[in-house]
Amino acid sequence: MSRRTTLQAFGAGLAALALTASACGGDKGATVQGVKLIEKGALTSCTHLPYPPFQSEDKKSGKVVGFDVELIDLVAKRLGVTQKIVDTPFETMKTGSALNAGKCDIQMGGMTIKPDRVKFMDVSTPYFDATQSLMAKKGSGITALDDVKAKKLKLGSQASTTGEDFVKDKGFDPRSFDNSNAELNGLRTGQVDVIVQDDPVVKGWLKDPANAGFEIAANLNTGEQYGFWMRKGHNPELVKMTNQVIAQARSDGSYKRIYEKWIGPMPPSAGGGS
């Protein structure tokens, strides 16, 4: 082997080692209670902002707050660390590439448990039962998804979401928006006539007086459940601890408190304990 080839191989090996160290957090990482953390003293979570009421930036404090945030805070508290939130493109979250690149330890953000996602990532037990809603102007006459087609209305959706997948499977070709705020703005400005979005998100929007002219036109029961996501086969103790925290929160009333703070009255079917 020539010196040039040897040096190339050596350089490639160093690059591979550097990449591996980077993906695992390098010297910054730590192991706490058997849980691997990419950064010492922090449980790093990926999410795609904004997505109220699950996570959004508080206008006054600038902090990211919401339903998912408070549940992950409970996991961080169990570990004796704080939560660090990283705003991440949803496309890299749903494929698991953000986790594989060592960008975060866990992912939150109303991510539906789906077989194709479970192939690439580990997931917690379900922490939220979700449905989709159609949001439109009051008096639109829409009572079902079929009405959108019959009235030849323009439908909008959020890119890479299960809501978008659902309407596409029903034969629609919705206008796709990058995030939930852009989708809502598309409805407000008349770019689309109706949008499909997670029911709690729509209910949160309708609390804003600026959206007083809109309503939930129809509910779409898609049977979805949300989970928290972790790197495949990499952090079994984090999966285990997250499941324990979810179960504990349901039994001790913490889940109900967080649910009613961010979502509203909790139905008995949500199983939130006392």
Side-chain angles (χ1 to χ4, degrees), residues 168-240:
K168 282 183 175 180
D169 287 344
K170 298 295 182 181
F172 289 85
D173 183 22
R175 176 165 178 175
S176 187
F177 294 90
D178 182 58
N179 58 58
S180 59
N181 272 4
E183 181 188 20
L184 175 60
N185 188 56
L187 178 65
R188 285 171 162 175
T189 58
Q191 298 173 58
V192 292
D193 303 306
V194 56
I195 56 177
V196 59
Q197 183 55 267
D198 287 3
D199 183 66
V201 177
V202 175
K203 286 178 178 175
W205 286 339
L206 292 176
K207 292 177 182 178
D208 185 344
N211 298 320
F214 299 93
E215 65 182 354
I216 293 177
N219 291 113
L220 310 175
N221 188 3
T222 55
E224 296 176 64
Q225 291 183 306
Y226 295 162
F228 296 123
W229 300 81
M230 289 142 279
R231 184 175 166 188
K232 189 73 173 180
H234 174 72
N235 222 343
E237 289 302 314
L238 180 56
V239 179
K240 180 180 177 181

Side-chain angles (χ1 to χ4, degrees), residues 112 114 117 132 160-167 198 224 226:
T112 301
K114 298 175 63 182
R117 293 175 181 172
Q132 299 285 330
S160 301
T161 61
T162 52
E164 182 171 86
D165 292 342
F166 182 81
V167 295
D198 287 3
E224 296 176 64
Y226 295 162

Side-chain angles (χ1 to χ4, degrees), residues 69-120:
V69 177
E70 292 206 20
L71 286 179
I72 295 297
D73 274 343
L74 295 179
V75 182
K77 184 178 179 181
R78 177 78 69 90
L79 285 166
V81 300
T82 57
Q83 180 180 183
K84 177 182 177 180
I85 300 170
V86 181
D87 190 13
T88 309
F90 191 74
E91 187 64 32
T92 66
M93 290 172 57
K94 75 172 190 174
T95 59
S97 59
L99 291 166
N100 293 339
K103 193 169 185 178
C104 49
D105 303 303
I106 192 167
Q107 292 183 158
M108 60 181 177
M111 285 187 64
T112 301
I113 299 173
K114 298 175 63 182
D116 59 333
R117 293 175 181 172
V118 175
K119 289 180 183 178
F120 303 108

